[in-house]
Amino acid sequence: TQRPAGPPPSKRSFSTSPDARRELADGQLVIIVARWALVAAGLLLAIWSPGDINDLRLQIAVLLLAAVSNFFLHAHVLRHQESLPGIVYLSSAGDLAIISILVASQGGFASNLFVFYFPAIAALALTFPREVTTFIAGCGVGMYVLICLRTMPEPTVSDHFQDLVVRVVMLAAVAFCGALYQQIETSRRRAAGELPE
């Protein structure tokens, strides 16, 4: 007997497909660990080189907000409860928003805190389907570009735009490599019978 043909994998809804939910649950731990690293490193940098007191208050406030939300998600995983895709997506988008706030509070284009985008984008690229990764990472990179365009030093020269383009290309490359690795790993797991066809 032949099994009834289901929709092709690329057409399945990520929120309803059982194998996609399992992959999301497996990958959620990657996002949680990356967020704890972001909170710890952000607090360390804020204490190590504090700037204006108002900027320091803002940085600590957003980092504590990220820590509280991550504690909730971490407890959710430790209780072995089912992962809710919407909440996981929103929390990852929130990570990129927090990084953007930190970058903007420390000078925008001149801030080196943009490096925090790399682990955040890598974590979501390894966890989410390609369409979701493209959307969330694209929004995060778009926020960063807008911040940089508003805070470029005067007079703005071509070297400034070249630096911005290089940073954006690196962020896009991290998202692409993460999504490609996830696709390869999913195919391997399906071939090994760990995931349904």
Side-chain angles (χ1 to χ4, degrees):
T1 60
Q2 290 185 340
R3 290 188 305 177
S10 60
K11 299 295 183 184
R12 289 178 183 163
S13 168
F14 186 77
S15 60
T16 57
S17 162
D19 57 326
R21 281 185 177 270
R22 180 178 168 189
E23 288 181 29
L24 178 63
D26 293 343
Q28 189 173 354
L29 190 57
V30 175
I31 293 176
I32 290 171
V33 171
R35 190 175 296 119
W36 281 130
L38 166 65
V39 170
L43 286 174
L44 182 62
L45 286 173
I47 294 169
W48 186 268
S49 58
D52 181 77
I53 187 66
N54 293 323
D55 292 341
L56 184 60
R57 286 175 181 162
L58 174 64
Q59 292 164 15
I60 291 177
V62 295
L63 288 170
L64 289 178
L65 179 63
V68 169
S69 66
N70 201 42
F71 180 80
F72 167 76
L73 291 174
H74 203 163
H76 190 81
V77 169
L78 292 177
R79 291 197 302 264
H80 302 290
Q81 294 180 341
E82 185 179 11
S83 301
L84 301 174
I87 293 177
V88 180
Y89 295 161
L90 285 175
S91 67
S92 293
D95 291 342
L96 298 181
I98 286 170
I99 296 168
S100 298
I101 292 170
L102 294 175
V103 168
S105 71
Q106 290 207 349
F109 180 79
S111 174
N112 291 325
L113 294 184
F114 76 91
V115 297
F116 285 133
Y117 283 111
F118 290 103
I121 289 176
L124 66 91
L126 291 170
T127 305
F128 300 155
R130 189 178 307 163
E131 297 79 11
V132 177
T133 295
T134 301
F135 179 75
I136 297 178
C139 289
V141 173
M143 283 190 293
Y144 178 64
V145 169
L146 291 176
I147 292 169
C148 286
L149 291 176
R150 291 291 302 272
T151 57
M152 277 187 179
E154 296 290 343
T156 304
V157 297
S158 61
D159 287 348
H160 297 139
F161 290 105
Q162 184 177 353
D163 288 345
L164 178 58
V165 169
V166 169
R167 294 174 191 179
V168 169
V169 168
M170 288 191 302
L171 292 170
V174 168
F176 175 79
C177 292
L180 182 62
Y181 177 82
Q182 189 213 42
Q183 180 182 358
I184 293 170
E185 180 64 12
T186 300
S187 300
R188 183 198 67 77
R189 293 175 70 185
R190 281 205 177 98
E194 299 175 18
L195 292 175
E197 293 293 332

